[in-house]
């Protein structure tokens, strides 16, 4: 049974793109932030309204309508995420991984009225919680997903060492584990690196830093340097 | 092939793609000439990504390639929105065409609204206290007072000026468009929500109309509502159609799985709800700025008839012929 939230999308080139769906908690936090922003805007609009009398009432109602229905739609269609979602690193995409368009953004935001049942987004939160890809009713009808943006990360190069031949032939997964250790060794605390390296004592028969060096040598051998 | 050799061989391609992606994402660069390089580079890197996965190269490398592939995919396959011009085309041609395609459900939504309205109107017209089954006494009293001819000074309701008109406009937008949205959205509950809202609004509106007519405020009420009635009532029916489409997709998805049927129906319904919003805004403008003006009743009825005819012509005729849209 798969318990992670990875959604694999097959592209026309046959590649499996991996998107990480966002759960109801993150989305609820994003909604709270958006709500706070809207509250602040409403408050700022209300302050000068006293001077405008009836005209002000009309403006307030229009602003309230816009904040309730148009604010999420415009942000999602134009920039992919409302400020609240952006603050949590979320983005709205189509089910094929492309950024959300106007039709889908309209549908998913108008269906908030349905997700809101019976009170406080009850239906939406529950559906999002139990759905394998964390879609609420609006997402289902619009064919969208709320995913975590992948942060652009710099590649950390493997530290170079003299290649050391492997004492025994290792399978693909094991070789990959060695490469993974080498790439992450600089980010690990030295004690942790030593601890991990000593787990493979039957392989290299060394201790402490010598064990780490041994594994780095093996990794460079696997990489073919 | 070992990883180091693989990186040496293809590193230049990856760097080229990364640079191209950055320029395209920021919108700088030579435009079409540069963009034409994207498909070839992207496909090559897709191939490299597959190989890297297959050969179990390190996670650092595969994740880096995955990021390149993801950015390329986003750029290459993002749908280009047609802008305001396309929006205008959708409203002028796409909306009536879509409505005619689902004409049956439009008539069903109309019936779900008008039939209860008529029935309720006749009922409240003939039994004086029937309206209190529909609304509380305070609201009824407020409505009676709003349409009381004795309250009018020179044809204009008391205290009404341009600023009040604008505040009423704001109210109508906030209230009526939201009702349209809810009529549409609740259609996802197998259409039940839409049906309930249409029936309820029909009964209340019809009941109020019958009651106001029964107590004799005819020369204030009917000219007032005649102006915005064509747009407002049609907007309600169109929103109901949109909601019914959603419900139908779930109840009778035809050959498609329910999810796909829902997404397809929602695309059509989005066009309909867009048209309904425009109609509602038009109705709000008319209701706020025209309906309460001091024009004589015959003028108002004439305008109303003209609007009905124009609306019917638009919905029936727009988008046909040589330049018919999809």
């Amino acid at each position: 049974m798969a318990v992670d939230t990875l959604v694999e999308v097959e592209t026309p080139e046959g590649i499996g793109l991996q998107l990480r769906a966002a759960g109801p908690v993150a989305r609820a936090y994003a909604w709270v932030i958006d709500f706070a922003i809207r509250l602040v805007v409403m408050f700022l609009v209300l302050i000068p309204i006293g001077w405008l009398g009836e005209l002000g009432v009309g403006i307030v109602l229009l602003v309230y309508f816009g904040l309730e229905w148009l604010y999420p739609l415009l942000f999602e269609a134009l920039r992919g995420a409302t400020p609240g979602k952006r603050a949590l690193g979320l983005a709205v995409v189509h089910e094929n991984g492309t950024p959300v368009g106007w039709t889908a953004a309209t549908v998913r935001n108008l269906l908030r009225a349905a997700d809101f049942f019976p009170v406080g987004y009850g239906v939406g939160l529950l559906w999002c919680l139990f759905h394998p890809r964390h879609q609420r009713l609006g997402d289902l009808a619009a064919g969208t997903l709320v995913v975590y943006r992948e942060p652009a990360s710099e590649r950390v190069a493997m530290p170079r060492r003299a290649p050391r031949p492997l004492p025994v032939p290792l399978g693909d997964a094991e070789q990959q584990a060695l490469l993974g250790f080498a790439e992450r060794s600089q980010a690990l605390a030295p004690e942790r690196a030593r601890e991990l390296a000593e787990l493979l004592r039957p392989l290299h028969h060394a201790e402490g830093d010598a064990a780490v060096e041994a594994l780095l040598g093996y990794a460079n051998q696997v990489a073919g340097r | 092939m070992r990883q180091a050799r693989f990186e040496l061989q293809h590193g230049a391609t990856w760097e080229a793609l990364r640079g191209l992606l950055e320029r395209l994402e920021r919108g700088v660069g030579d435009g079409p000439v540069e963009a034409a390089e994207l498909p070839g580079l992207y496909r090559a890197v897709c191939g490299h990504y597959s190989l890297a996965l297959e050969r179990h190269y390190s996670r650092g490398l595969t994740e880096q390639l995955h990021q390149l592939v993801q950015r390329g995919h986003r750029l290459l396959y993002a749908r280009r929105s047609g802008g305001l011009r396309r929006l205008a085309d959708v409203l002028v041609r796409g909306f009536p065409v879509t409505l005619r395609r689902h004409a049956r459900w439009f008539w069903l939504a109309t019936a779900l609204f008008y039939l209860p309205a008529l029935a309720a109107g006749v009922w409240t017209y003939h039994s004086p206290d029937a309206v209190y089954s529909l609304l509380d006494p305070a609201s009824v009293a407020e409505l009676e007072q709003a349409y009381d001819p004795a309250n009018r000074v020179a044809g204009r309701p008391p205290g009404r000026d341009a600023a009040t008109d604008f505040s009423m406009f704001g109210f109508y937008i906030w209230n009526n468009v939201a009702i349209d949205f809810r009529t549409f959205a609740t259609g996802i509950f197998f259409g039940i929500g839409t049906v309930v809202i249409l029936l309820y609004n029909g009964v209340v509106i019809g009941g109020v109309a019958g009651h106001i007519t029964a107590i004799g405020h005819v020369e204030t009420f009917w000219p007032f509502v005649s102006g915005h009635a064509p747009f407002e009532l049609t907007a309600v029916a169109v929103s109901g159609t949109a909601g019914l489409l959603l419900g139908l997709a779930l109840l009778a998805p035809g050959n498609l799985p329910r999810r796909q049927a829902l997404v397809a129906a929602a695309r059509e319904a989005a066009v309909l709800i867009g048209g309904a919003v425009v109609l509602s805004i038009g109705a709000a403008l008319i209701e706020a700025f025209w309906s309460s003006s001091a024009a004589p009743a015959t003028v108002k009825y004439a305008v109303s008839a003209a609007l009905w005819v124009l609306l019917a012509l638009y919905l029936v005729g727009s988008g046909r012929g040589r330049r018919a849209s999809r």
Side-chain angles (χ1 to χ4, degrees), chain A residues 23-39 64 67-68 71-72 76 82-88 90 108-109 112-113 115-116 119-122 125 136 146:
Chain A
V25 176
R27 295 173 67 167
Y29 281 150
W31 184 85
V32 167
I33 294 178
D34 280 321
F35 184 72
I37 293 175
R38 282 188 279 205
L39 215 57
Y64 183 60
L67 284 178
E68 193 178 332
Y71 164 91
E76 280 172 12
T82 62
K85 286 202 168 74
R86 192 175 283 259
L88 266 91
L90 305 177
R108 78 182 296 272
N109 281 302
R112 281 178 195 276
D115 279 308
F116 200 80
V119 64
Y121 282 102
L125 275 175
R136 61 178 175 84
V146 178

Side-chain angles (χ1 to χ4, degrees), chain A residues 9-19 52-59 61-62 64-65 68-70 93-99 102-104 106-107 110-115 117 123 131 133 135 137-143 150-153 155-156 158 172-173 175-176 179-180 183 221-225, chain B residues 2-5 7 14 42-43 45-47 49-50 52-64 66-67 69-71 73-79 81 159 161-164 166-175 177-178 181-182 184-189 246 259 262-264 266-267 269-271 273:
Chain A
V9 172
E10 184 166 346
T11 70
E13 287 77 24
I15 298 292
L17 275 188
Q18 308 217 301
L19 302 169
L52 291 172
E54 293 266 25
L55 195 68
V57 170
I59 294 178
L61 285 167
L62 288 175
Y64 183 60
F65 173 78
E68 193 178 332
W69 296 101
L70 297 181
V93 296
H94 282 127
E95 275 168 351
N96 66 356
T98 54
W102 283 96
T103 312
T106 308
V107 170
L110 290 188
L111 277 167
R112 281 178 195 276
D115 279 308
F117 272 66
V123 167
H131 192 275
R133 300 190 299 186
Q135 289 175 299
L137 293 178
D139 290 318
L140 281 176
E150 255 196 35
S153 56
R155 167 106 182 271
V156 176
M158 199 186 321
D172 281 333
Q175 292 184 16
Q176 206 173 21
L179 291 173
E183 280 183 339
Q221 165 74 8
V222 167
R225 291 193 200 282
Chain B
R2 302 287 191 141
Q3 178 168 332
R5 177 122 182 266
E7 287 182 35
W14 305 338
Y42 170 70
R43 256 175 259 139
V45 176
C46 282
Y49 176 62
S50 286
L53 281 179
E54 177 68 24
R55 295 173 184 170
H56 297 273
Y57 291 157
S58 71
R59 283 292 296 265
L61 177 62
T62 53
E63 280 188 7
Q64 185 193 26
H66 180 258
Q67 275 183 29
V69 164
Q70 194 164 48
R71 287 164 70 187
H73 175 83
R74 232 185 345 243
L75 273 176
L76 204 53
Y77 292 106
R79 291 171 111 200
S81 80
D161 59 357
T164 317
F166 189 78
S167 77
M168 291 314 288
F169 172 67
F171 173 73
Y172 295 136
I173 292 285
W174 174 67
N175 187 46
V177 181
F181 286 164
R182 271 185 216 112
F184 160 64
T186 49
I188 201 169
F189 299 125
L246 284 187
R259 287 200 49 201
L262 181 63
V263 173
R267 294 209 99 85
V271 175
I273 202 75

Side-chain angles (χ1 to χ4, degrees), chain B residues 18-200:
Chain B
R18 182 176 297 116
L20 180 61
L21 287 173
E22 259 162 43
R23 285 195 297 279
L24 289 176
E25 279 167 5
R26 278 185 295 138
V28 304
D30 285 336
V33 172
E34 228 180 7
E37 294 172 12
L38 180 62
L41 271 177
Y42 170 70
R43 256 175 259 139
V45 176
C46 282
H48 301 161
Y49 176 62
S50 286
L51 284 174
L53 281 179
E54 177 68 24
R55 295 173 184 170
H56 297 273
Y57 291 157
S58 71
R59 283 292 296 265
L61 177 62
T62 53
E63 280 188 7
Q64 185 193 26
L65 291 176
H66 180 258
Q67 275 183 29
L68 286 177
V69 164
Q70 194 164 48
R71 287 164 70 187
H73 175 83
R74 232 185 345 243
L75 273 176
L76 204 53
Y77 292 106
R79 291 171 111 200
R80 306 169 61 75
S81 80
L84 283 175
R85 194 136 173 246
R86 178 153 163 77
L87 178 68
D89 179 70
V90 166
L91 286 175
V92 170
R93 277 201 288 275
F95 166 59
V97 167
T98 311
L99 191 63
R100 288 199 291 272
R101 200 178 315 147
H102 303 287
R104 302 177 272 179
W105 309 117
F106 174 69
W107 293 122
L108 177 62
T110 307
L112 283 171
F113 179 77
Y114 280 97
L115 293 179
L118 274 168
V122 167
W123 179 46
T124 55
Y125 186 76
H126 286 293
S127 38
D129 292 326
V131 71
Y132 296 104
S133 317
L134 301 172
L135 291 173
D136 57 287
S139 310
V140 178
E142 202 179 307
L143 284 163
E144 288 179 356
Q145 200 213 27
Y147 293 111
D148 194 343
N151 273 342
R152 308 276 156 126
V153 176
R156 208 163 171 80
R160 185 134 177 168
D161 59 357
T164 317
D165 284 345
F166 189 78
S167 77
M168 291 314 288
F169 172 67
F171 173 73
Y172 295 136
I173 292 285
W174 174 67
N175 187 46
N176 297 347
V177 181
I179 291 179
D180 288 338
F181 286 164
R182 271 185 216 112
T183 314
F184 160 64
T186 49
I188 201 169
F189 299 125
F190 300 100
I192 293 177
T194 305
V195 170
V196 165
I197 293 183
L198 284 174
L199 289 175
Y200 175 73

